[in-house]
Amino acid sequence: MAASSSSRVSSPGWLMLAAHCALLLAMAGAASAGSALSSTFYDASCPSACDVVRRVIQNARVTDPRIPASLIRLHFHDCFVQGCDASLLLDDDLPAIQTEKTVPANNNSARGFPVVDDIKSALEHACPGTVSCADILALAAEISVEISGGPSWRVLLGRRDGTTTNVQSAKNLPSPFDSLDKLQKKFRNVNLDDTDLVALQGAHTFGKVQCQFTRENCTAGQPQGSLEDLDRVTPNVFDNKYYGNLVDGLAQLPSDQVMLSDPAAPATTAPIVRRFAINQKDFFGKFVVSMIKMGNISPLTGMAGQIRKNCRRVNSKGY
């Protein structure tokens, strides 16, 4: 997808870093999962895939500046539950399917599903039955970061969509009130280390949060559900200001500030936070690596799963 802007980076150095990481992680996936994801997966079957996703997100962003942050969160919450298989996108279809959308971490919080629907519709028009919903989330996350001022990278693709949900696992998603130890365990459970934890939490550099999840827990007279900027300095820009907020003790979420305040932090996460606070290039580079690692959590590939025609429903028999 050389013609797609999602394959570009802001400098030759970023290009070499992203390409090198993609190659290493693709080889690791081949060794561990039996087949590898590839940044060129749709080059022949749907060469316009990245451009279609980008166009829909840019259009949505005009009326909803929050949408880039919301889309990357969907990718995160999907991959942490039985791998990157788009299980989060499935609606209730009882008794077979119980949605993950209503667990505490997602209920009235995870958003952007109609934009995913729009992307899927556009892709079905351009390349019917080709691009998976799981890959849509991965592409949407990268594009959302890039158009908000962050780094770009060659997204590894070739995931297929699951046909089940896992509500119990979804109930154990990282919480705004988790201790550092709990966060570390949840990240280790999906083979992500402390650097990945600090880097991926950096996605809180843009977007909003309901005030009842903040450290202030809503100010006097402020109704629950009121929205606060996660980063009060540059709320719609993907940058490293988030880490400066942590260093100044101004993180909005308890689960962010613990990366500096927890007694175990000085020997684990705190040095990484301080490094990212003074070096945006370092943060961007580690964020790219961590996003690729996260996108490689237990993908369905080959003949596993399916390519859903509608991201909210498993395909009907015979499709």
Side-chain angles (χ1 to χ4, degrees):
M1 290 179 279
S4 169
S5 55
S6 74
S7 66
R8 295 195 303 267
V9 287
S10 56
S11 70
W14 281 118
L15 179 59
M16 293 185 349
L17 171 65
H20 179 64
C21 293
L23 176 61
L24 290 178
L25 284 160
M27 290 191 298
S32 63
S35 60
L37 303 178
S38 168
S39 62
T40 62
F41 188 82
Y42 296 114
D43 276 10
S45 60
C46 192
S48 64
C50 288
D51 293 329
V52 170
V53 177
R54 176 181 296 274
R55 183 172 65 250
V56 175
I57 294 174
Q58 287 178 324
N59 288 340
R61 190 185 183 206
V62 172
T63 55
D64 184 1
R66 296 173 59 196
I67 203 62
S70 298
L71 291 173
I72 193 172
R73 188 164 180 257
L74 291 184
H75 185 42
F76 183 103
H77 280 212
D78 177 49
C79 289
F80 265 65
V81 179
Q82 69 182 22
C84 308
D85 65 350
S87 63
L88 173 58
L89 302 180
L90 289 169
D91 286 341
D92 271 332
D93 188 12
L94 300 173
I97 301 292
Q98 182 181 356
T99 187
E100 296 169 12
K101 296 177 182 178
T102 53
V103 302
N106 294 326
N107 193 36
N108 297 319
S109 176
R111 61 189 301 275
F113 299 109
V115 176
V116 175
D117 294 338
D118 290 344
I119 294 171
K120 182 60 176 175
S121 177
L123 285 169
E124 285 298 307
H125 178 76
C127 315
T130 302
V131 182
S132 69
C133 300
D135 277 348
I136 287 173
L137 292 181
L139 285 168
E142 188 277 336
I143 291 167
S144 293
V145 169
E146 187 209 337
I147 66 175
S148 300
S152 63
W153 60 96
R154 293 179 65 87
V155 181
L156 300 183
L157 301 165
R159 301 167 191 80
R160 289 169 64 86
D161 300 322
T163 57
T164 63
T165 57
N166 190 331
V167 172
Q168 287 307 117
S169 179
K171 289 179 179 177
N172 197 41
L173 279 163
S175 160
F177 307 108
D178 278 346
S179 65
L180 180 59
D181 180 61
K182 281 187 178 180
L183 286 172
Q184 289 171 315
K185 286 179 179 177
K186 290 177 180 180
F187 274 69
R188 283 197 300 267
N189 285 343
V190 289
N191 297 316
L192 297 175
D193 59 25
D194 284 344
T195 300
D196 300 317
L197 165 61
V198 178
L200 292 173
Q201 293 283 76
H204 293 159
T205 190
F206 63 172
K208 294 180 181 291
V209 62
Q210 295 176 39
C211 65
Q212 67 263 31
F213 299 121
T214 67
R215 295 165 67 204
E216 293 180 351
N217 191 24
C218 304
T219 57
Q222 189 179 30
Q224 286 199 344
S226 297
L227 296 175
E228 297 281 348
D229 290 327
L230 279 165
D231 173 10
R232 291 166 174 164
V233 181
T234 52
N236 295 319
V237 179
F238 194 97
D239 55 23
N240 70 332
K241 297 294 191 297
Y242 159 87
Y243 297 103
N245 295 338
L246 265 65
V247 170
D248 293 337
L250 300 175
Q252 285 277 44
L253 301 180
S255 58
D256 287 341
Q257 198 62 50
V258 295
M259 294 192 297
L260 270 182
S261 63
D262 189 274
T268 56
T269 53
I272 306 169
V273 170
R274 296 185 186 281
R275 194 170 76 238
F276 289 171
I278 61 174
N279 191 331
Q280 180 166 278
K281 183 178 180 180
D282 187 13
F283 163 47
F284 280 7
K286 296 300 190 301
F287 183 81
V288 166
V289 172
S290 296
M291 284 295 292
I292 295 172
K293 285 176 67 176
M294 187 184 78
N296 228 40
I297 298 173
S298 304
L300 300 173
T301 58
M303 298 304 294
Q306 59 184 213
I307 307 298
R308 286 189 222 137
K309 187 174 183 179
N310 178 342
C311 291
R312 295 175 181 264
R313 292 278 185 266
V314 298
N315 294 337
S316 58
K317 187 176 180 180
Y319 171 71

